[in-house]
Amino acid sequence: PLQPKKSNPPPARHNPRAFSVANIVRTQRTIQRNLDRAQKKEYAPLSDRRASRAEEGPPPLVAVVGPPGVGKSTLIRSLVKFYTNCNLSETTGPITVCTSKTRRVTFLECPNDTAAMLDVAKIADLVLLCVDAKFGFEMETFEFLNMMQTHGFPKVMGVFTHLDQFQTAKNLRKTKKLLKHRFWTEIYDGAKMFYFSGCVNGKYLKHEVKQLTLLLGRVKYRPLVWRNTHPYVVVDRHEDITHPAKVEEEGEGCERSVAFYGYVRGTNLKEGMKVHLIGVGDFG
């Protein structure tokens, strides 16, 4: 007759090498490599002294930088047209637009001047670095990158223009690859890049501008060293508040009273602090 199977548990196996590693030396190297990579990512965190909510603080400053003739003004006009549906005739001074119900952005075109580049490197939250793809990188671009490294590196995005001047698709692909390699070498691997092919009615193509605006709406800005230690004001507008009677009495050469309007950024501006007006001097 058939006998029922005995349901005995399997004997316990005590194998000390069952859960050890196959190659001790290779495992040591892997662990050490992972620790080294984790160490490289560590940094001393900066305290973010800006407003906790974006709508309470000043709007982030997006600087458009590049040598003459690369399309900086065209880029600002295209962005303003996209956000406001208004045609901008001149891109003079800071231009603030509403990008959503709770968010604003200030665009500023950086002049091709060393002193202006130095000031923009200190105050920009995001830099749109315009490069003529047909010509390549120019000396002004590298000078500005060096200035930014001195004052804390803000976020940088590349904008490559004049792509419609390439005759063949093969040449365009090759140039894009070279520009990307060079740009990532100068900034960091994976830096965002945008390609603007041509203009219609003095503005870039709408679908290309939209790609840029989608990222502008999501980007997070880093706290930087210079801003955490300096209060500063980017002047949005100024007014001559001299009394008209004084101008009539003393003529055009009389002493003027000028009022400057703008957001205080960085740290708090205390009462009685001396203020340095760029290119003019210190005032109490």
Side-chain angles (χ1 to χ4, degrees):
L2 293 170
Q3 296 288 333
K5 269 191 174 181
K6 292 180 181 178
S7 58
N8 291 335
R13 297 176 183 174
H14 300 287
N15 183 2
R17 293 183 61 84
F19 300 102
S20 67
V21 295
N23 191 326
I24 295 173
V25 176
R26 187 170 63 201
T27 308
Q28 283 178 336
R29 285 177 184 163
T30 306
I31 293 170
Q32 187 61 48
R33 180 171 170 270
N34 290 338
L35 288 171
D36 289 344
R37 288 180 69 185
Q39 180 69 27
K40 282 181 183 177
K41 292 178 182 177
E42 290 183 2
Y43 64 96
L46 289 169
S47 60
D48 197 348
R49 303 179 71 170
R50 297 169 296 182
S52 56
R53 297 173 65 196
E55 55 265 29
E56 289 174 358
L61 191 81
V62 177
V64 182
V65 183
V70 294
K72 299 190 293 292
S73 302
T74 310
L75 178 59
I76 292 178
R77 280 201 301 270
S78 304
L79 288 167
V80 170
K81 174 71 174 175
F82 184 87
Y83 284 125
T84 65
N85 204 24
C86 294
N87 290 314
L88 198 66
S89 56
E90 290 183 1
T91 56
T92 309
I95 299 161
T96 304
V97 296
C98 291
T99 58
S100 67
K101 288 182 180 178
T102 59
R103 197 172 171 122
R104 296 157 298 156
V105 166
T106 300
F107 296 111
L108 177 66
E109 182 181 342
C110 179
N112 190 37
D113 176 54
T114 309
M117 284 180 176
L118 195 59
D119 296 328
V120 168
K122 293 175 185 176
I123 64 173
D125 292 300
L126 171 69
V127 174
L128 297 178
L129 204 61
C130 295
V131 178
D132 186 347
K134 189 70 176 170
F135 192 83
F137 289 94
E138 298 184 42
M139 190 56 68
E140 290 91 344
T141 308
F142 296 120
E143 284 177 5
F144 185 73
L145 289 172
N146 288 335
M147 290 175 189
M148 283 196 296
Q149 284 170 347
T150 312
H151 299 291
F153 214 84
K155 289 219 169 194
V156 181
M157 295 182 191
V159 175
F160 296 94
T161 59
H162 298 144
L163 293 175
D164 53 332
Q165 294 184 7
F166 289 94
Q167 302 297 327
T168 59
K170 183 182 177 183
N171 197 7
L172 178 60
R173 278 198 307 272
K174 185 180 175 183
T175 309
K176 277 185 178 180
K177 190 176 179 181
L178 288 170
L179 287 170
K180 184 179 83 168
H181 178 71
R182 181 66 183 176
F183 189 69
W184 284 8
T185 306
E186 292 295 331
I187 313 294
Y188 57 86
D189 281 358
K192 294 288 181 185
M193 299 162 59
F194 298 92
Y195 301 101
F196 287 174
S197 54
C199 289
V200 175
N201 298 327
K203 295 175 188 65
Y204 292 121
L205 303 179
K206 194 172 181 180
H207 70 275
E208 294 174 345
V209 177
K210 189 176 182 181
Q211 295 295 322
L212 178 57
T213 56
L214 286 173
L215 203 63
L216 284 178
R218 292 196 302 261
V219 70
K220 290 185 173 64
Y221 306 103
R222 296 172 51 216
L224 297 175
V225 178
W226 191 87
R227 264 164 261 187
N228 272 352
T229 53
H230 293 77
Y232 64 98
V233 177
V234 179
V235 177
D236 287 321
R237 63 186 179 91
H238 60 86
E239 283 183 16
D240 186 358
I241 56 173
T242 315
H243 200 280
K246 188 179 178 183
V247 179
E248 282 184 14
E249 285 175 15
E250 301 180 20
E252 292 292 326
C254 69
E255 285 192 0
R256 301 280 181 141
S257 299
V258 182
F260 296 105
Y261 298 88
Y263 291 97
V264 177
R265 301 163 191 254
T267 56
N268 295 323
L269 194 61
K270 296 174 185 173
E271 191 177 349
M273 281 180 75
K274 275 201 165 185
V275 177
H276 177 72
L277 199 59
I278 294 167
V280 181
D282 294 336
F283 295 89

